[in-house]
Amino acid sequence: MTESQERAGADARRTDGDATTGTDGDTIAGAGAEAQAAPVPHPPAFAPDSLVLNRKLPLWYQVSQSLRASVLGRPQDASARLPTEEQLAAHYGVSVLTMRQALKELETEGLISRHRRRGTFIEPRARRVSPVRLLGSVDAIVAQQSGEATTVLGHGPTAVPGDLAEFFPDCAEVTCYRRLRRDEESDEPTNWAENAVRPDIAARIDVADLERWPMTKVLRDVVGVRISRITDTVEARLADPVTAELLQVPLLSPILHYTGVTYDEEGRVVDVARIRYRGDRFSFSVTVEAH
């Protein structure tokens, strides 16, 4: 082989390599280089909230309501796939059978779907009609109020309304919060709420939190109120002019009027919530266990 042929062969071998260097010093990928694909970001794993179980209430019901709040309040970029039954049971400290019953409740409600050998997934579209339930735990109250976009319409101190005087006998005024909730998918108004809160408690509330979480969760988990009980009353009423305008329903159309009174461990009323639900979007259901 001649010297010129050896040089030609060496040049060819360099050309067939992984890369060559251009005249400007930049590295240019050769024919044999493999493209380095950018890593595909994975959505954050779904993480259910923690739960302190009340042994006086059905465990499956408490777990289903806590998981419901986690599903409805999850970040938008969170994974739609739930952990396995075994993982969820270990997280809540219950049996797999109890966990299975809780998941069945959410499946019936249309929040999740379960697929053999594939897993359990959050449904992208929850059913439109939401039940207003007679609930048995604070976690269940939080779950009932979660899952909708909330706008704070206004807040500030006001004289105690006459119909609330019995709840605040030692207060000259309360702080009133007015909020409107909308369906996140359709942007349709579903209910609006007025909360009357003790001034000393209201002083510790960040209004921005009320656009992220229900009042009950803010009081308990952010402000640190030790809630002892909540009494609920639901009755049928006709839409007044303010409710008709906010909920975009005809004047005097039927609505569900909910009143929730929250007590702390000292027996004081810390919050009275009055919520008006659209009658065409909600129903009221009560389940009474035989045992």
Side-chain angles (χ1 to χ4, degrees):
M1 181 180 295
T2 65
E3 184 179 347
S4 61
Q5 289 173 324
E6 289 178 353
R7 285 199 299 269
D11 291 340
R13 285 192 295 272
R14 284 195 297 271
T15 303
D16 290 337
D18 289 341
T20 62
T21 303
T23 56
D24 58 358
D26 294 335
T27 300
I28 305 171
E34 295 184 0
Q36 296 295 322
V40 178
H42 294 285
F46 174 81
D49 293 338
S50 59
L51 172 66
V52 177
L53 292 170
N54 182 341
R55 296 293 169 178
K56 296 181 180 179
L57 299 171
L59 297 183
W60 68 266
Y61 178 73
Q62 296 177 71
V63 170
S64 71
Q65 294 305 299
S66 178
L67 187 56
R68 180 181 188 272
S70 299
V71 166
L72 295 176
R74 73 192 187 282
Q76 291 186 350
D77 60 346
S79 172
R81 182 170 185 164
L82 268 62
T84 65
E85 288 180 352
E86 292 76 11
Q87 291 170 329
L88 287 171
H91 172 79
Y92 286 112
V94 298
S95 68
V96 173
L97 185 62
T98 296
M99 193 67 241
R100 194 168 294 157
Q101 190 174 3
L103 290 170
K104 181 64 177 177
E105 176 78 1
L106 297 191
E107 185 179 25
T108 300
E109 191 175 338
L111 289 178
I112 62 173
S113 59
R114 312 183 71 194
H115 306 274
R116 188 178 179 85
R117 295 191 179 90
R118 288 181 51 211
T120 302
F121 298 86
I122 299 171
E123 281 292 299
R125 297 175 63 91
R127 72 181 189 184
R128 292 177 59 82
V129 177
S130 303
V132 176
R133 299 179 183 272
L134 182 64
L135 303 169
S137 71
V138 173
D139 286 287
I141 292 285
V142 171
Q144 182 65 58
Q145 298 171 352
S146 299
E148 295 179 304
T150 302
T151 301
V152 176
L153 302 176
H155 71 285
T158 183
V160 177
D163 58 340
L164 300 185
E166 63 177 299
F167 299 115
F168 302 101
D170 58 335
C171 296
E173 63 179 24
V174 291
T175 301
C176 184
Y177 298 86
R178 300 172 76 247
R179 294 168 296 136
L180 177 66
R181 297 192 185 103
R182 294 179 175 274
D183 184 284
E184 291 185 333
E185 192 170 298
S186 66
D187 199 39
E188 185 179 53
T190 59
N191 64 86
W192 80 278
E194 287 182 300
N195 289 80
V197 181
R198 293 183 64 90
D200 57 312
I201 300 297
R204 293 145 56 192
I205 293 177
D206 185 340
V207 176
D209 287 338
L210 293 177
E211 295 190 344
R212 301 170 56 196
W213 299 307
M215 175 65 83
T216 305
K217 181 176 178 65
V218 171
L219 290 174
R220 185 190 64 176
D221 298 343
V222 180
V223 176
V225 174
R226 299 180 67 86
I227 297 174
S228 64
R229 71 184 190 278
I230 300 174
T231 62
D232 297 339
T233 303
V234 180
E235 58 185 312
R237 290 191 182 181
L238 301 179
D240 56 46
V242 173
T243 297
E245 180 179 2
L246 288 174
L247 300 187
Q248 299 177 13
V249 297
L251 184 65
L252 301 182
S253 61
I255 62 168
L256 288 177
H257 188 283
Y258 162 91
T259 302
V261 184
T262 301
Y263 297 81
D264 65 11
E265 287 189 330
E266 298 176 8
R268 301 184 311 167
V269 172
V270 296
D271 169 47
V272 177
R274 292 179 291 186
I275 308 175
R276 291 82 165 175
Y277 293 91
R278 283 181 55 153
D280 61 339
R281 290 292 305 274
F282 292 87
S283 62
F284 175 66
S285 64
V286 178
T287 299
V288 178
E289 299 289 344
H291 300 288

